Every structure is written in C-alpha cells, then in structure tokens.
C-alpha cells in the first residue's frame, strides 16, 4: 500500500504589535504567585494518547506459498490438458515464499491446451484486496465467481494471430492475504478456431476451486 504524504506543518509568525501586546499584558498582570507555580509543577500531567503503545501488528493467515504443482488432482490435469504430464513444471521464482507457479501444457493431435496456477502472498488482507481490485479492473468484461474464497473473478478473452484463434480464461481468487491466479487457454491448429467460452471458463474455475482448497488445507497443516 502507498503511504500518504504527511500534512504540512503550520508556522505562526508573531508581528511586533503582538509582541508588544504580550509584553504589556505581562507587566500589568504582576508576578506569578510562587505557591500556584509550585502546585502547577507538582500536578501530574495526563498521559497523551499518542504515547500509548501501538498495536498495529498484522497477523498473516498465509506466511508461505504452497506447492502449486500438487494443488490440483491428476485427473483434473488430464481432463483440462490432455496428454500433459500430470506432475507439471514449476516456474522459477525470485522468492518462492511469496510467489510460486506451476504450468502444464500439451498438444494432442491438433488441440493445444495450457494451464497455469499461481499462489501469491501479500503482507496483509488489505494489500491482497487492493491487488485483487487493481487486477480485476485491468481485466474488464468478466464477472464474480460466487462461493470461491473471500472474493473471486473470472474473465474469458479471444485473440487472433495469423488467423489462429486462442481463447484464454483467467480466474483470480483472494483468500485472506493470498491470491490464487489461474490461467487456462486453448487452440485448435487444424480448424484455426478456439475452444468455446463455456469450456474455457468452466475449466479455469474448476482448477481454481481445487487450488483454493489446497491453499486452505496447507494453512491447516
């Protein structure tokens, strides 16, 4: 989260007139009563609220990203990515405690399928929620997925390159301070067409549900 700029300090400027007026008041009011002055010094001052200890420590539900290649069942991989090795391949990450991704892809005949599953951890639930909002705003045109994590979103897009269509579905689910990102796409290299929207969307959501369940199980264990 971006920290907000602190407000500018206000500086009071005393004019000579104010100084003279204060001096005149001091002379006319006479000397301070010593007894009152001593009492004022001896009176304990109330403790400022700002000096009280702060309790802003954030408890993270998920402190490490789970293994992504075992986050979905082998039969699910075989169904979504025919002919792929069910073990998957983990993508190298600069910090595996914060982000881990597994990928499956294969060509069966002329049909190509690709599935990615990522776990990403934020410092707090609020940070994860802000990231979720930013990403769903960037990928407009989708809709909410009820009952998946704390909040979830799904979108499907069609692209065409050199007359070859590819349809890609993305599901983003937030669970506390963790984000589960699923990408699933496909192409038919014989017909040059892409699989249907419903097929891609349902496949991505199925993988996301299993990945979210795996994430929750990892937290319990």
């Amino acid at each position: 989260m971006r920290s907000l700029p602190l407000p500018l300090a206000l500086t009071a400027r005393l004019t000579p007139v104010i100084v003279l007026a204060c001096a005149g008041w001091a002379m006319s009011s006479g000397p301070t009563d010593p007894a009152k002055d001593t009492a004022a010094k001896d009176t304990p001052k109330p403790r400022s609220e700002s000096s009280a200890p702060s309790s802003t420590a954030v408890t993270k539900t998920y402190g490490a990203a789970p293994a992504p290649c075992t986050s979905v069942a082998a039969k699910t991989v075989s169904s979504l990515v025919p002919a792929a090795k069910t073990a998957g391949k983990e993508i190298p990450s600069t910090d595996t405690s914060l982000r881990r991704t597994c990928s499956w892809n294969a060509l069966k005949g002329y049909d190509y399928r690709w599935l990615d599953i990522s776990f990403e951890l934020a410092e707090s639930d609020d940070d994860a929620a802000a990231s979720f909002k930013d990403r769903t705003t960037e990928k407009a045109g989708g809709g909410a997925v009820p009952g998946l994590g704390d909040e979830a979103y799904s979108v499907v897009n069609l692209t065409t390159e050199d007359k070859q269509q590819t349809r890609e579905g993305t599901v983003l689910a937030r669970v506390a301070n963790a984000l589960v990102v699923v990408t699933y796409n496909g192409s038919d290299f014989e017909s040059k067409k892409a699989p249907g929207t419903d097929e891609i969307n349902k496949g991505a959501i199925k993988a996301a549900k299993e990945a979210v369940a795996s994430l929750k199980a990892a937290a319990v264990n």
Side-chain angles (χ1 to χ4, degrees):
M1 298 288 291
R2 296 188 182 93
S3 57
L4 297 174
L6 296 174
L8 296 176
L10 299 177
T11 306
R13 297 183 178 182
L14 298 178
T15 63
V17 175
I18 296 176
V19 174
L20 290 175
C22 292
W25 176 85
M27 287 187 292
S28 62
S29 62
T32 304
D33 187 341
K36 291 182 179 180
D37 185 54
T38 302
K41 290 181 180 179
D42 294 339
T43 303
K45 295 181 180 180
R47 185 176 181 179
S48 172
E49 293 183 0
S50 61
S51 62
S54 174
S55 56
T56 58
V58 177
T59 301
K60 294 194 294 185
T61 303
Y62 300 100
C69 291
T70 56
S71 62
V72 293
K75 63 180 181 180
T76 299
V77 174
S78 296
S79 172
L80 299 181
V81 192
K85 293 181 179 180
T86 56
K89 180 180 180 181
E90 184 161 354
I91 307 302
S93 173
T94 55
D95 190 342
T96 55
S97 66
L98 299 179
R99 177 187 173 93
R100 295 182 72 176
T101 301
C102 190
S103 179
W104 298 263
N105 61 87
L107 178 67
K108 184 177 182 180
Y110 293 97
D111 286 334
Y112 182 75
R113 296 291 185 275
W114 182 297
L115 173 67
D116 276 353
I117 294 179
S118 295
F119 293 109
E120 301 176 19
L121 301 185
E123 287 299 314
S124 68
D125 291 14
D126 288 343
D127 288 344
S131 179
F132 178 90
K133 183 178 180 180
D134 289 343
R135 295 191 191 191
T136 54
T137 299
E138 291 174 357
K139 291 183 173 291
V145 182
L148 182 58
D150 294 320
E151 51 187 338
Y153 178 83
S154 173
V155 62
V156 178
N157 292 308
L158 176 68
T159 59
T160 303
E161 185 175 352
D162 295 332
K163 298 182 180 181
Q164 173 64 60
Q165 292 183 343
T166 299
R167 184 166 272 114
E168 179 172 285
T170 301
V171 176
L172 180 66
R174 182 183 70 83
V175 186
N177 67 305
L179 292 178
V180 178
V181 186
V182 174
T183 303
Y184 179 51
N185 63 44
S187 300
D188 186 325
F189 293 132
E190 183 177 31
S191 67
K192 299 289 185 179
K193 301 295 183 183
T197 299
D198 198 47
E199 176 186 342
I200 293 297
N201 190 47
K202 286 183 177 180
I205 292 175
K206 178 177 176 60
K209 287 181 176 180
E210 292 189 20
V212 166
S214 178
L215 174 70
K216 291 180 177 180
V220 173
N221 297 331

